[in-house]
Amino acid sequence: MNRDEAAIDRDIFPPVTSLKGVGPKIEGHLQRLRIHTVQDLLFHLPIRYQDRTRVRPIGALQPGDECVLLGTVDHSEMVYRKRRMLLVSISDGTGRILLRFFHFNKTQQENLAPGVNIRCFGEVRRGVSTLEMVHPEYEIQRTSGAVKVEDHLTPIYPTTEGLHQLVLRRMTSQALRWFEREEAPDIDLLPDVPEIDGCKPSVLEALRFVHRPPPEADTQALAAGTHVMQRRLAFEELLAQRLSLFRLRLRMQKQPAVPISPAGRLYARLIEALEFTPTSAQQRVIETVFADLRKSYPMLRLVQGDVGSGKTLVAIAACLHVIEAGYQAVVMAPTEILAEQHLQNFSNWLAPLGVQLAWLSGRMTAARNSEMKERISSGTAQAIIGTHALFQEGVTFKNLALVVVDEQHRFGVHQRMALREKGVHGAGSPHQLIMTATPIPRTLAMTAYADLDYSVIDEMPPGRKPVSTIAVSQERRDEVIERVAHACQRGQQAYWVCTLVEESEAMQCQAAENVYQELDRLLQGVRVGLVHGRMKSREKNAVMQDFASSRIDLLVATTVIEVGVDVANASLMIIENAERLGLAQLHQLRGRVGRGAQESSCVMLYSPPLTDNANLRIDTMRATNNGFKIAQVDLEIRGPGEVLGTRQTGMLQLRIADILRDQDLIPQVQESAKKLFAEHPHLVDALVHRWLGKSIEFGQV
Ligand code: ADP
Ligand code: MG
């Protein structure tokens, strides 16, 4: 069968049940792993390897090694410490190691007698006085002569309860043999074999290698995921990822949307009334957004701008265009407090222009809630602001044409897709504008968000000063409190942020409450306020208002203020337990100060001793204010899945590729993707299908 037929017909691959030894029970396990066909088995890739291809001398072992040993039992005894255990000491002439067993029967105990030769496999650990292996696999060597070892590295597969590695190994061996038959369909879908690191391995070659690496394979490269055969597969996986998002994007572009092209009077009036001039980066992005809105298919644009770069203005500009054209716009924020801040900003800027607002949150009274819903469905409200409660409570819009999502990393592709339903009736999907402060390298953004267009606000409003940042141990907390007292007496305003990462929200609020009591008592003459997530909207609002208008000097807060809160006069921030926070969060928090004209500073309070990672985070924060540099370090520490929030949203659950490690492949992937779409569009579905399966076909939702 030729390549094109293979691609078109997905069902040419036999089901797993056609393999020897696969009955209904194993089939069920496999289904849980989303393995249905022989091909799926081949694309179920090992997560790591064990080396059972050679016997290691005991004298050369290091803790952490996982290896095969061959030795003679010197001594064996049963001991009772807290529980019963069997200790067996073996040696091979180069050294000695202790085997420790907790579960054993009488026969086993008798078999492991002095003088017996055994072969065992396990992980080497540091014991009290010698190296040891806890519960190694072992086999008694009765005959002398050659010791049996494996002829390839042993793959360890991701698996599910009840499905043994041995079974997976047997099945992948069968699957490999199936594809190596003369008459098997060609599994190489790519018309041009990509050149990776100077080699052009076929996909079958790469699969064979990765499932069964030969003993001489570079185990370090394999463990690091940088072996050329792994990279060949990573290339194809990234390609499939890219194609899937691209395909999704094409589908979205086939959806109709209302073209928005007003004269721009409202926006002009807004600019006139502003006390600042937009930066050229803001102007450029706003123009791009206006151009997107004029199209008859939905805008899907991600705008990235560091904390404080002025993303709100871009959002407001887009809303004004839509409103002037006679439609509704909605702004969705990830937290109540941020939604409230937006409401504040929007009322300040839009009310003078006569724009009607509505506000919806999860925590308003039933009466107020239905009043707002009525304003939304009747069309009285032109700009609607809220949390994602907006999309969960059966709110109907009269004629929604724009959705702005602030702080994208908390929303996933699925939620973006679900917004389609909310659009203008009969006229299609709303335009979507997504804002994020997470500064990510362009190649990563293009891979993770390939279904979106991407703009960067790469310039800060003028006059921003870097926030000088220091780290102070909790032992010197008194000095910090004194510093706050001085600052407040000089008319500065400050935040004191309480963080308790692992504990419940309730405990976090309690901690803030306690700090509030403490500081209020200690700081005579300083007006202290408290804001946390468990307060009623109205109370929170009142406190934030008081802080914004300088009726409060020191605001004790939980991390509810992390995103978006904007009080320009605040110039000092204390962050408690800074060592427990991630870089992105620290950067977001610190971004709340340094917005006004005066010099600002940030004090990170920590409890020693610091772990290496915590040290690195704190040093990074002290060294730079540049969100891009901070994000680089963050990516290295946490990996892209966490940083981009793709782990939570189920996106980019890659099997073998790692978008950070394999970044260098991305330009080549882009090239191939374009070419494939243009010249071999019929191959796209097959490629996407075999890497991403059905789960990811967002286009269907
Ligand atoms: P973010 O990108 O973090 O959402 P905001 O939109 O909240 O940033 O803007 C931060 C602050 O900077 C706000 O007080 C805003 O009014 C102000 N600002 C925005 N653009 C400019 C500008 N071009 N010049 C001066 N100040 C600006
Ligand atoms: Mg913002």
PDB file of all heavy atoms in Angstrom, residues 272-284:
ATOM      1  N   GLU A 272      -8.045  61.566  23.835  1.00  0.00           N
ATOM      2  CA  GLU A 272      -8.040  62.986  24.180  1.00  0.00           C
ATOM      3  C   GLU A 272      -8.085  63.186  25.694  1.00  0.00           C
ATOM      4  O   GLU A 272      -7.407  64.042  26.242  1.00  0.00           O
ATOM      5  CB  GLU A 272      -9.287  63.634  23.580  1.00  0.00           C
ATOM      6  CG  GLU A 272      -9.021  64.853  22.742  1.00  0.00           C
ATOM      7  CD  GLU A 272     -10.251  65.139  21.909  1.00  0.00           C
ATOM      8  OE1 GLU A 272     -11.220  65.685  22.475  1.00  0.00           O
ATOM      9  OE2 GLU A 272     -10.249  64.746  20.722  1.00  0.00           O
ATOM     10  N   ALA A 273      -8.894  62.353  26.349  1.00  0.00           N
ATOM     11  CA  ALA A 273      -9.096  62.519  27.792  1.00  0.00           C
ATOM     12  C   ALA A 273      -7.974  61.912  28.637  1.00  0.00           C
ATOM     13  O   ALA A 273      -7.849  62.227  29.809  1.00  0.00           O
ATOM     14  CB  ALA A 273     -10.440  61.898  28.185  1.00  0.00           C
ATOM     15  N   LEU A 274      -7.159  61.052  28.041  1.00  0.00           N
ATOM     16  CA  LEU A 274      -6.096  60.391  28.821  1.00  0.00           C
ATOM     17  C   LEU A 274      -5.068  61.398  29.311  1.00  0.00           C
ATOM     18  O   LEU A 274      -4.742  62.343  28.604  1.00  0.00           O
ATOM     19  CB  LEU A 274      -5.347  59.372  27.959  1.00  0.00           C
ATOM     20  CG  LEU A 274      -5.926  57.986  27.748  1.00  0.00           C
ATOM     21  CD1 LEU A 274      -4.954  57.155  26.914  1.00  0.00           C
ATOM     22  CD2 LEU A 274      -6.194  57.302  29.077  1.00  0.00           C
ATOM     23  N   GLU A 275      -4.534  61.126  30.518  1.00  0.00           N
ATOM     24  CA  GLU A 275      -3.496  62.034  31.009  1.00  0.00           C
ATOM     25  C   GLU A 275      -2.104  61.623  30.519  1.00  0.00           C
ATOM     26  O   GLU A 275      -1.121  62.225  30.877  1.00  0.00           O
ATOM     27  CB  GLU A 275      -3.538  62.159  32.544  1.00  0.00           C
ATOM     28  CG  GLU A 275      -3.175  60.915  33.284  1.00  0.00           C
ATOM     29  CD  GLU A 275      -4.394  60.077  33.660  1.00  0.00           C
ATOM     30  OE1 GLU A 275      -5.398  60.069  32.907  1.00  0.00           O
ATOM     31  OE2 GLU A 275      -4.332  59.407  34.692  1.00  0.00           O
ATOM     32  N   PHE A 276      -2.050  60.548  29.710  1.00  0.00           N
ATOM     33  CA  PHE A 276      -0.760  60.146  29.132  1.00  0.00           C
ATOM     34  C   PHE A 276      -0.924  59.836  27.654  1.00  0.00           C
ATOM     35  O   PHE A 276      -2.045  59.711  27.159  1.00  0.00           O
ATOM     36  CB  PHE A 276      -0.178  58.948  29.885  1.00  0.00           C
ATOM     37  CG  PHE A 276      -1.087  57.739  29.937  1.00  0.00           C
ATOM     38  CD1 PHE A 276      -1.238  56.919  28.825  1.00  0.00           C
ATOM     39  CD2 PHE A 276      -1.793  57.428  31.110  1.00  0.00           C
ATOM     40  CE1 PHE A 276      -2.069  55.816  28.877  1.00  0.00           C
ATOM     41  CE2 PHE A 276      -2.625  56.319  31.155  1.00  0.00           C
ATOM     42  CZ  PHE A 276      -2.771  55.516  30.041  1.00  0.00           C
ATOM     43  N   THR A 277       0.197  59.728  26.968  1.00  0.00           N
ATOM     44  CA  THR A 277       0.157  59.329  25.566  1.00  0.00           C
ATOM     45  C   THR A 277       0.473  57.843  25.505  1.00  0.00           C
ATOM     46  O   THR A 277       1.408  57.393  26.168  1.00  0.00           O
ATOM     47  CB  THR A 277       1.273  60.054  24.766  1.00  0.00           C
ATOM     48  OG1 THR A 277       1.345  61.375  25.251  1.00  0.00           O
ATOM     49  CG2 THR A 277       1.001  60.026  23.287  1.00  0.00           C
ATOM     50  N   PRO A 278      -0.273  57.096  24.726  1.00  0.00           N
ATOM     51  CA  PRO A 278       0.058  55.673  24.620  1.00  0.00           C
ATOM     52  C   PRO A 278       1.483  55.494  24.083  1.00  0.00           C
ATOM     53  O   PRO A 278       1.942  56.298  23.279  1.00  0.00           O
ATOM     54  CB  PRO A 278      -0.960  55.148  23.604  1.00  0.00           C
ATOM     55  CG  PRO A 278      -2.079  56.130  23.619  1.00  0.00           C
ATOM     56  CD  PRO A 278      -1.479  57.452  23.962  1.00  0.00           C
ATOM     57  N   THR A 279       2.159  54.481  24.554  1.00  0.00           N
ATOM     58  CA  THR A 279       3.500  54.196  24.027  1.00  0.00           C
ATOM     59  C   THR A 279       3.359  53.734  22.580  1.00  0.00           C
ATOM     60  O   THR A 279       2.266  53.329  22.151  1.00  0.00           O
ATOM     61  CB  THR A 279       4.173  53.053  24.816  1.00  0.00           C
ATOM     62  OG1 THR A 279       3.368  51.874  24.685  1.00  0.00           O
ATOM     63  CG2 THR A 279       4.323  53.400  26.282  1.00  0.00           C
ATOM     64  N   SER A 280       4.464  53.770  21.844  1.00  0.00           N
ATOM     65  CA  SER A 280       4.336  53.357  20.444  1.00  0.00           C
ATOM     66  C   SER A 280       4.026  51.869  20.359  1.00  0.00           C
ATOM     67  O   SER A 280       3.355  51.425  19.425  1.00  0.00           O
ATOM     68  CB  SER A 280       5.566  53.738  19.630  1.00  0.00           C
ATOM     69  OG  SER A 280       6.718  53.306  20.284  1.00  0.00           O
ATOM     70  N   ALA A 281       4.488  51.091  21.352  1.00  0.00           N
ATOM     71  CA  ALA A 281       4.133  49.661  21.356  1.00  0.00           C
ATOM     72  C   ALA A 281       2.628  49.493  21.533  1.00  0.00           C
ATOM     73  O   ALA A 281       1.991  48.696  20.839  1.00  0.00           O
ATOM     74  CB  ALA A 281       4.884  48.932  22.460  1.00  0.00           C
ATOM     75  N   GLN A 282       2.049  50.262  22.449  1.00  0.00           N
ATOM     76  CA  GLN A 282       0.591  50.179  22.644  1.00  0.00           C
ATOM     77  C   GLN A 282      -0.129  50.575  21.349  1.00  0.00           C
ATOM     78  O   GLN A 282      -1.076  49.902  20.930  1.00  0.00           O
ATOM     79  CB  GLN A 282       0.145  51.107  23.777  1.00  0.00           C
ATOM     80  CG  GLN A 282       0.420  50.552  25.174  1.00  0.00           C
ATOM     81  CD  GLN A 282       0.184  51.591  26.256  1.00  0.00           C
ATOM     82  OE1 GLN A 282       0.588  52.752  26.121  1.00  0.00           O
ATOM     83  NE2 GLN A 282      -0.463  51.197  27.344  1.00  0.00           N
ATOM     84  N   GLN A 283       0.328  51.656  20.728  1.00  0.00           N
ATOM     85  CA  GLN A 283      -0.335  52.102  19.497  1.00  0.00           C
ATOM     86  C   GLN A 283      -0.269  51.033  18.420  1.00  0.00           C
ATOM     87  O   GLN A 283      -1.253  50.766  17.733  1.00  0.00           O
ATOM     88  CB  GLN A 283       0.327  53.386  18.984  1.00  0.00           C
ATOM     89  CG  GLN A 283      -0.060  54.591  19.817  1.00  0.00           C
ATOM     90  CD  GLN A 283       0.690  55.842  19.405  1.00  0.00           C
ATOM     91  OE1 GLN A 283       1.161  55.947  18.275  1.00  0.00           O
ATOM     92  NE2 GLN A 283       0.820  56.775  20.323  1.00  0.00           N
ATOM     93  N   ARG A 284       0.906  50.428  18.292  1.00  0.00           N
ATOM     94  CA  ARG A 284       1.082  49.410  17.256  1.00  0.00           C
ATOM     95  C   ARG A 284       0.127  48.232  17.496  1.00  0.00           C
ATOM     96  O   ARG A 284      -0.576  47.783  16.588  1.00  0.00           O
ATOM     97  CB  ARG A 284       2.538  48.925  17.270  1.00  0.00           C
ATOM     98  CG  ARG A 284       2.856  47.799  16.296  1.00  0.00           C
ATOM     99  CD  ARG A 284       4.357  47.490  16.239  1.00  0.00           C
ATOM    100  NE  ARG A 284       5.017  47.443  17.552  1.00  0.00           N
ATOM    101  CZ  ARG A 284       4.935  46.409  18.396  1.00  0.00           C
ATOM    102  NH1 ARG A 284       4.217  45.342  18.080  1.00  0.00           N
ATOM    103  NH2 ARG A 284       5.552  46.444  19.561  1.00  0.00           N
TER     104      ARG A 284
END
